[in-house]
Amino acid sequence: MNDIESRLADAMAARAREVEPQDEDDALNRISERVNMNRRRGLTVLGIAAGLMIVVGAVALLNRDDDKGQQVNFATDSSGGTPTTASPPASVIPVDSTVGIWPFASDTARTFKTPEEAAKSFAVDYLGMTHARVGNTTGNDVEIFPNDRGSARTVVHVAELSNHNFVVVGADADQIVVDTPKPGDPLSPTLTISGRSVAFEAQIGIQLRPFGLPTPTVEDFTMGGSTDMQPFRKQLTVPKTDQAHVLILFEGDASGEQTFTKATVILLTPAGDPRPTEFVGLTTTGDLMRLDFSGHVQQTLATGAVEYAFAPTTGLVAYTHAVGGCGIDFVRFDGSPGPARIENAIAPVFAPGGDKLAFTVCGDRHVAVRTLATGEQIDGVPDFVPTLPSQTGILATLRGRFGTVAFYNGRSISSYNPADGKVVELVQPAAEPRSLDADESGRHLLWVDTDHNVWTWSGGEPTKVGSGFTSAAW
């Protein structure tokens, strides 16, 4: 057994020791205070939980009235109204790309050892600002000016890779502020661009370049302010949405000496899977709930639960009871009965396909994995649990086709690539997450924070979609 397997076994054994009750009331209280809420189809980091954190786990739904049933407080979705959002600092670019916009991944000979080198080359070679002047560097933000005398500032955002080379992940001109789209937003056939700007003769140029290529496939312009910041809005027709593109809004150099004098540069991801509309949550009273973003469906799947795992691919929910002793029960997402109860087991974790379940055996506290269709069971640590380097963070969840692991590092929700060890910050939450989950595609994240608010993130800024929870999974 290697170190990761040993830590996973210890973590699950520790969970077993905590759940195994001698006094049922005392056990319920203790378990309700120490349940790992990040349970979902094998995408939880049990291996690091022992060394890092067992997240507090009981949940609250606001506006509860026992005579009228459960009431869930949903915030306005992005489709209408103004949701509560948390804005990351300017230096945090929430784009899951360890390659960067510049240099191109295909250009293996071009590397930069300092932020200034990366920003200068980006301005000159990618944007065509041949007279660009480098200003101050603050953290991962480098000031670029159009020439020795120019005052129009573009802040180039860079990221340091694990090999200590720097790449450019975006840029913001002070006088070209883009409200939509946000970095990391998915493309759509019709792309709406809005914001505020000031430029010579009020004209702002627009380019859409394929990621990794210098030549734009779409070129247009819009009008903002000529003497002070004024709003602009433009719709682009995007001919190809199945690959990432770089959106550039710029002021052209009226002198003709170079291409741009300032530019805002945003990386947009390919159009992908839609955000899920339903999730599973747990209340402080132990009610396991199915909830629907769009339809506001509120269905109680089980009562008296203390921990759970959800497999959306099979629509199966596994959960444990405190008073009922050691045992895992099942219910389907539509409320119908699931497979037979697994006795003498706790801490359920689904494999990604939902066909297998890992758990801790209460008696000798070893880890076992059961194939649900056949009932075949083997002992040993499963290979479908994501892991992080020691001391990296907590609440890890696999990001599907991205092949990365999302986790919370104490400040931001970030993405870790096990293949090369690279870490990219995705988004800074408004409050510390207590549970974190990714959908099947990996594109969309769901978390509940210490204020019991439910948030989703699909690139750009997070959206508050509900309140009154301390865990959720989709």
Side-chain angles (χ1 to χ4, degrees), residues 5 8 56 88 94 106 111 116 155 174 177 184 198 200 211 246 266 278 280 303 324 348 384 403 406 414 431 443 463:
E5 291 172 336
L8 176 55
V56 174
S106 58
T111 58
E116 294 80 9
V155 178
D174 290 342
V177 177
V198 58
F200 179 69
F211 182 71
V246 179
I266 298 171
E278 297 182 312
V280 174
T303 59
F384 49 77
S414 300
R443 177 182 296 277
T463 301

Side-chain angles (χ1 to χ4, degrees), residues 120-181:
K120 179 66 176 289
S121 175
F122 174 73
V124 173
D125 300 318
Y126 186 78
L127 296 180
M129 298 171 61
T130 54
H131 300 315
R133 169 174 61 91
V134 176
N136 295 325
T137 299
T138 303
N140 287 336
D141 294 339
V142 182
E143 294 179 329
I144 292 291
F145 298 92
N147 50 53
D148 290 340
R149 305 173 308 281
S151 60
R153 188 180 76 146
T154 296
V155 178
V156 177
H157 308 297
V158 303
E160 184 177 7
L161 304 182
S162 58
N163 60 8
H164 303 299
N165 290 329
F166 286 84
V167 297
V168 173
V169 294
D172 286 294
D174 290 342
Q175 296 176 336
I176 306 175
V177 177
V178 178
D179 296 326
T180 57

Side-chain angles (χ1 to χ4, degrees), residues 14-32:
R15 180 65 59 81
R17 287 193 295 272
E18 292 212 2
V19 175
E20 215 167 49
Q22 295 180 358
D23 177 82
E24 292 180 348
D25 292 334
D26 178 63
L28 177 60
N29 292 333
R30 288 187 291 109
I31 294 167
S32 296

Side-chain angles (χ1 to χ4, degrees), residues 188-225:
S188 60
T190 301
L191 179 65
T192 299
I193 305 169
S194 65
R196 294 167 292 116
S197 66
V198 58
F200 179 69
E201 295 184 343
Q203 184 167 305
I204 295 295
I206 301 172
Q207 289 187 357
L208 196 62
R209 301 183 186 182
F211 182 71
L213 295 173
T215 304
T217 55
V218 177
E219 294 187 274
D220 212 321
F221 72 94
T222 188
M223 306 296 288

Side-chain angles (χ1 to χ4, degrees), residues 214-283:
T215 304
T217 55
V218 177
E219 294 187 274
D220 212 321
F221 72 94
T222 188
M223 306 296 288
S226 59
T227 58
D228 56 3
M229 297 284 282
Q230 295 292 330
F232 63 78
R233 185 177 181 86
K234 186 73 176 183
Q235 284 193 331
L236 292 185
T237 298
V238 181
K240 191 175 181 64
T241 62
D242 60 351
Q243 67 181 87
H245 278 71
V246 179
L247 176 65
I248 305 173
L249 280 78
F250 62 90
E251 180 182 1
D253 188 350
S255 70
E257 294 182 357
Q258 57 184 355
T259 306
F260 305 154
T261 60
K262 59 192 178 192
T264 290
V265 183
I266 298 171
L267 177 58
L268 302 175
T269 59
D273 303 83
R275 186 182 67 184
T277 63
E278 297 182 312
F279 67 93
V280 174
L282 186 65
T283 75

